[in-house]
Amino acid sequence: AYLEYSKPLVIPVGSTVRWTSNSSMVHSVVSQGEFDKVYLGSDSHGMVEFEHMFHNRGTFEYYCDEHMGMVGTIVVVNRYGE
């Protein structure tokens, strides 16, 4: 299924984000400078779930390397919204 990526996800520092695939297609998640490519899919290419904890404030872009247009943004803020 194609996901909606139009709104950034805003989280506090120290939060963990989980990407889950329930698709029969292979997907990946990449965030350059934050983590390398992780394959997500129901075949032998990789996991169906990936978690990453964000330790630093900032704006992090991520994308699926296999499907152009599947992109998103995570904004990490201080615990109290600063």
Side-chain angles (χ1 to χ4, degrees):
Y2 193 81
L3 302 176
E4 177 60 51
Y5 296 100
S6 61
K7 293 183 181 179
L9 174 64
V10 179
I11 59 172
V13 169
S15 293
T16 299
V17 174
R18 178 185 299 148
W19 287 264
T20 303
S21 175
N22 60 1
S23 171
S24 60
M25 297 173 55
V26 174
H27 293 280
S28 65
V29 60
V30 181
S31 182
Q32 292 181 345
E34 190 62 19
F35 54 83
D36 294 329
K37 182 192 292 191
V38 175
Y39 285 101
L40 298 171
S42 61
D43 68 352
S44 61
H45 281 97
M47 321 176 238
V48 294
E49 232 175 55
F50 168 65
E51 291 185 346
H52 180 75
M53 181 181 286
F54 287 84
H55 298 282
N56 299 304
R57 285 180 30 190
T59 300
F60 302 91
E61 306 291 327
Y62 65 92
Y63 60 92
C64 175
D65 207 24
E66 281 63 46
H67 302 99
M68 223 162 86
M70 293 183 88
V71 298
T73 304
I74 296 173
V75 179
V76 182
V77 298
N78 285 342
R79 287 210 173 270
Y80 300 104
E82 299 173 2

